[in-house]
Every structure is written in structure tokens, then in C-alpha cells.
Amino acid sequence: PDCMCQVLLLSSSPPDDPPDLGIRSTAQGRQAAAHALQNRALSGSDAGDHDGLECAMQVVFMLKDGDAGVRAVAARSLGEMYCRVKDQRYAAAVAPLLQDPHLAVRSAAAVTLGQMGDDGAKFAVGVAVLLKDHEETVRMSAVCALSQMQ
């Protein structure tokens, strides 16, 4: 990203060794699965490859997880994957997370929409609402996202 958006993300970077995708019974396992899907999509050979699109769709499904940590990691992973699997539907899937009750999820959604450029810019009004959020981290994420949308 062009600004310090990565600093605003409230978790560590993806693990070096992709985890076993069969372990999804815990929130931590689902977070690890999102990271592994991200790594798999980013390792593909071309931007529209089927495997990358399949990985992205699995991560989109995780945006509705009952655990806030999983939703935040899924949003961040989708933002990182977006350079390879661009699709305006992904921005539409992330946008509802701007209203999530958990600050890490709102922050991740804003940053992700910023990473999505023109597709994310369609939701700039929702991101701009976060400029008045009661959490400083969320406000800073919104500023960063809006600056990337220009």
C-alpha cells in the first residue's frame, strides 16, 4: 500500500508454512486457512487463474464467520489477493463489514476497500463515515483507505 495501512492491521503477517486446511473447527484454524488461501492465490501463474478465483471465493465465504478475528483476517486476505483476482463483487462482499461491531473488522474492511482501488471507491461514502468512528485505529484506516481510492 501507498501509506502505512499495513501498520493499522491488527494482526501478524501470514504464517510462512501454510496450515492444514482441514483444521477449521476453531477460529484460529479458520484464520490460518484464510492466510493459506491467500498464499495459494498469490502463488498462481496468472491474474485470472481458476485456482486463485476459487481461493478468493472461499475467503469471501469467511467474511460472514461468527468470529470477528476470522472476519478481519478474511477481509485482509481478500485485500492482499485482490491484485491477482480482481472482481468488483469482492468489494461488495467486504463493504458490509464497515458497520461491524468490532473495530478490527471495521479497520480491515476500510483498508481492504482502499486496496481495491476503483472497485473499493464505489463504497467511499461508507468508508468516509468511519472518519467519525469512536476508535482512532478505525479513523486512521479510513483516512488511509480514502487516500488510496483517489
Side-chain angles (χ1 to χ4, degrees):
D2 296 329
C3 63
M4 296 195 52
C5 293
Q6 295 300 328
V7 173
L8 299 174
L9 300 177
L10 302 175
S11 78
S12 61
S13 20
D16 292 329
D17 297 321
D20 176 9
L21 292 177
I23 304 174
R24 294 187 183 215
S25 61
T26 66
Q28 185 177 15
R30 293 189 306 277
Q31 289 176 25
H35 284 305
L37 288 164
Q38 171 190 331
N39 291 339
R40 184 172 167 187
L42 292 175
S43 68
S45 58
D46 50 27
D49 72 288
H50 178 73
D51 194 42
L53 296 172
E54 181 66 31
C55 291
M57 290 308 298
Q58 290 183 45
V59 173
V60 166
F61 181 74
M62 293 176 169
L63 295 173
K64 296 182 180 185
D65 195 274
D67 182 84
V70 174
R71 292 192 304 276
V73 168
R76 288 192 300 271
S77 292
L78 197 58
E80 293 298 321
M81 295 164 64
Y82 193 74
C83 65
R84 299 211 34 93
V85 289
K86 293 182 182 189
D87 189 316
Q88 65 186 5
R89 294 175 296 178
Y90 301 149
V94 170
L97 298 181
L98 294 170
Q99 299 174 9
D100 196 276
H102 298 275
L103 76 100
V105 178
R106 293 192 307 277
S107 180
V111 170
T112 296
L113 289 170
Q115 290 174 308
M116 293 180 172
D118 290 341
D119 289 334
K122 295 172 185 168
F123 301 96
V125 171
V127 174
V129 168
L130 296 181
L131 294 172
K132 295 182 180 180
D133 195 276
H134 62 280
E135 295 289 345
E136 182 179 14
T137 300
V138 176
R139 293 191 304 269
M140 291 175 65
S141 294
V143 168
C144 186
L146 290 168
S147 73
Q148 289 181 309
M149 292 176 182
Q150 295 179 359

